[in-house]
Structures are given as structure tokens and as C-alpha cells.
């Protein structure tokens, strides 16, 4: 990942009130430990980055090579591990937690990456919002897909044609979400609007770089 960020778990949704008394729907994210487990340098690895562990886990959750790497660096067992590109990895120390208060601040716009909720095998009406046929007057075409192409020309089905299949359960990114509140004591982030994934799912939050219409 190109931008340094923090990992957390989606807790659920609630509402808070602004100073003007307006209700703001927010998603609560429980921040992880975000411990630096390894530093990568341009001389040795070809690029500058830091490897960060999300949450502390029991040793039995990891295999021996993973535990050996943690013991070598004198770092507690953590998972999952993600790399973040930085300008200079020398400014980070292995075993320290990322400074969440310096990375994520109130009223900041952030990008949130996570895995969307899986919907299973779905048809084109639900998956792609396709239109349906009449439901009465003897019609036998209701929610089926219909024609997927001509016969003689081109004589095949084009790649990418909308068809029934697996819906959801893919990596998605919600961009330019606003941070409403940061509670460092409890390790909570309150983000306006929805966040990808199920409750308890892993999310990666980083300051947004995408400019509006830029």
C-alpha cells in the first residue's frame, strides 16, 4: 500500500450529534495494536516501507516460521501483517505502535479498504439491477437473464457480459469518508457513513490522497 495507515475492526453503526444538534450516522471502528514488526530499506529491499501487525494474537494461531521472525525482532505475535510504503523507514522503530493521533485526526478525509459482505450466488436483477419481465398475463419471463448476444454474428458471448454469479466478498475501497471523532483512550474511530465489510471485519484506514474531480 502506498500510504501509511492503521488497521482496525468494524464494530457497528450508531449516531452522534453535532454542535448544531444534527444527527450524524457513524460507523465505529476499533483500532488494533498496529505494531511495527519490520523495516524495509531501499538498499536491502529496493523500496522504503514498514511492516505493521494489526492485532496481538496467541502463539498457537501462528506457525513456527512466523513465531521465529517475531522472536528474532523481539516483537509480540501479531496478525495480520501489512506493508505500507513510507518516505523513510528509519523514522520508525520495530516494536513501537504507529502514532494514530498523528496519522488520523478529526474532520480528516480517509480511504477505507475492506472486504465487502458476501451475498452468495445472485441473478442479474439483484447483481446488476437489470430489468425484469411482466409478472402477470401469462408471462413466463420474470427474473431470468434474457438474450446474451446474437447468433451468427458474432457467434459468441462477449467477455464481461452481465450474468448471474458470485456477488460481494471482494476487496473494495470507500474513498473520502470523514472522521467525526477520535477516541485515543478507548482506541475508537467514528467515521461518517458506511464502512465496507461485516461487523468484526478487518479494515485499513489511511488519509485520502485523491482530489475531488482532480
Amino acid at each position: 500500500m502506498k500510504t501509511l495507515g492503521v488497521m482496525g475492526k468494524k464494530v457497528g453503526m450508531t449516531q452522534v450529534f453535532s454542535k448544531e444538534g444534527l444527527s450524524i450516522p457513524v460507523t465505529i471502528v476499533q483500532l488494533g495494536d498496529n505494531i511495527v514488526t519490520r523495516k524495509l530499506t531501499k538498499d536491502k529491499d529496493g523500496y522504503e516501507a514498514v511492516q505493521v501487525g494489526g492485532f496481538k494474537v496467541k502463539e498457537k494461531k501462528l506457525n513456527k516460521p512466523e513465531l521465529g521472525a517475531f522472536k528474532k525482532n523481539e516483537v509480540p505475535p501479531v496478525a495480520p501483517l501489512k506493508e505500507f510504503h513510507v518516505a523513510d523507514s528509519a523514522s520508525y522503530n520495530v516494536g513501537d505502535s504507529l502514532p494514530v493521533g498523528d496519522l488520523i485526526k478529526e474532520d480528516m478525509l480517509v480511504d477505507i479498504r475492506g472486504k465487502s459482505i458476501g451475498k452468495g450466488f445472485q441473478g442479474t436483477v439483484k447483481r446488476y439491477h437489470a430489468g425484469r419481465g411482466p409478472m402477470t398475463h401469462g408471462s413466463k419471463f420474470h427474473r431470468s437473464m434474457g438474450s446474451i448476444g446474437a447468433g451468427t454474428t458474432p457467434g459468441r458471448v462477449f467477455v464481461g457480459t452481465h450474468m448471474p454469479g458470485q456477488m460481494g466478498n471482494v476487496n473494495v475501497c470507500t474513498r473520502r469518508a470523514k472522521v467525526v471523532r477520535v477516541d485515543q483512550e478507548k482506541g475508537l474511530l467514528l467515521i461518517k457513513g458506511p464502512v465496507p465489510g461485516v461487523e468484526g471485519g478487518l479494515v485499513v484506514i489511511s488519509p485520502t490522497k485523491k482530489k475531488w474531480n482532480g
Side-chain angles (χ1 to χ4, degrees):
M1 300 183 68
K2 298 296 183 182
T3 307
L4 185 62
V6 294
M7 284 179 275
K9 289 184 179 180
K10 179 179 176 180
V11 177
M13 293 197 69
T14 183
Q15 63 178 356
V16 296
F17 293 91
S18 64
K19 297 179 181 179
E20 295 78 15
L22 299 177
S23 174
I24 304 175
V26 295
T27 301
I28 304 174
V29 176
Q30 178 70 55
L31 293 173
D33 299 290
N34 293 295
I35 299 175
V36 178
T37 57
R38 182 186 173 194
K39 295 192 297 184
L40 295 92
T41 61
K42 194 170 185 179
D43 296 335
K44 184 177 180 180
D45 304 288
Y47 60 98
E48 295 283 336
V50 291
Q51 185 188 72
V52 180
F55 297 84
K56 292 181 180 178
V57 295
K58 297 180 180 179
E59 292 188 359
K60 64 180 182 180
K61 297 287 186 179
L62 304 174
N63 55 36
K64 289 184 177 180
E66 292 171 336
L67 288 174
F70 289 133
K71 291 180 179 179
K72 179 181 178 181
N73 296 327
E74 298 182 354
V75 177
V78 286
L81 301 177
K82 290 189 178 297
E83 284 187 9
F84 297 95
H85 288 219
V86 294
D88 184 14
S89 62
S91 57
Y92 300 91
N93 297 321
V94 175
D96 292 349
S97 297
L98 292 179
V100 178
D102 297 336
L103 293 174
I104 308 296
K105 300 179 181 179
E106 292 186 4
D107 298 327
M108 176 185 284
L109 297 180
V110 294
D111 294 341
I112 310 166
R113 293 170 174 83
K115 183 166 284 189
S116 62
I117 298 175
K119 304 290 185 179
F121 191 95
Q122 300 296 336
T124 55
V125 173
K126 181 172 182 178
R127 195 180 185 199
Y128 296 109
H129 308 289
R132 61 167 177 79
M135 304 300 288
T136 57
H137 300 287
S139 172
K140 296 182 180 179
F141 175 76
H142 302 304
R143 294 173 64 91
S144 60
M145 184 169 51
S147 175
I148 57 175
T152 304
T153 304
R156 64 186 178 88
V157 179
F158 287 116
V159 175
T161 301
H162 287 182
M163 290 185 173
Q166 167 68 33
M167 181 179 178
N169 195 33
V170 293
N171 293 323
V172 296
C173 178
T174 299
R175 300 189 182 275
R176 298 180 60 83
K178 185 177 181 180
V179 178
V180 177
R181 192 171 300 169
V182 180
D183 190 338
Q184 294 191 21
E185 294 183 1
K186 297 181 180 179
L188 298 176
L189 287 182
L190 272 62
I191 301 173
K192 183 178 180 180
V195 166
V198 299
E199 294 182 0
L202 177 72
V203 292
V204 181
I205 304 169
S206 57
T208 186
K209 284 190 173 182
K210 185 176 178 64
K211 295 182 179 180
W212 185 254
N213 287 336

